Amino acid sequence: MLRYSLMRLGLFAACFLVIWGLVYVRVLPSGLGDSNLLWVMLLALVISAPLSFVMLRGAREAASVQVSARVERTRANLAASASQEDEADDAARAATQGS
């Protein structure tokens, strides 16, 4: 999961640098007034999102498998814990009813 997040961040940074360079050489328009940085960040976000969807498909699927395995382990642990609590509760009730 960390690998995928770092790859997304890297892709965003690469898009930011490319767009900033294009704005600097005036191929793309700059923002209004002091909003140039915000404009470049927004444009980099809009461009990097579909690029990451296409380019990082394998890493995203690997992260998805990792997350779903972790969720299944957590569910199994919770179920085991709940069954232990149920057994202890049943034993305590049986002990109090038998007395």
Side-chain angles (χ1 to χ4, degrees):
M1 187 70 184
L2 179 64
R3 179 177 177 254
Y4 175 70
S5 297
L6 290 175
M7 290 172 74
R8 289 258 342 236
L9 183 63
L11 187 60
F12 172 76
C15 288
F16 179 81
L17 290 174
V18 167
I19 293 170
W20 181 77
L22 291 174
V23 168
Y24 184 75
V25 296
R26 299 195 188 273
V27 172
L28 291 175
S30 61
L32 298 173
D34 293 334
S35 68
N36 190 33
L37 180 64
L38 183 61
W39 161 254
V40 172
M41 287 178 70
L42 182 62
L43 197 53
L45 182 67
V46 167
I47 291 174
S48 69
L51 283 177
S52 70
F53 184 74
V54 173
M55 295 174 66
L56 303 179
R57 178 168 294 163
R60 184 176 58 250
E61 288 174 358
S64 171
V65 168
Q66 187 180 23
V67 167
S68 64
R70 189 178 304 155
V71 166
E72 288 303 318
R73 269 195 319 269
T74 303
R75 282 185 183 164
N77 289 341
L78 286 174
S81 176
S83 68
Q84 287 177 351
E85 289 177 6
D86 290 344
E87 290 171 6
D89 187 44
D90 292 343
R93 287 182 188 199
T96 57
Q97 287 177 357
S99 301

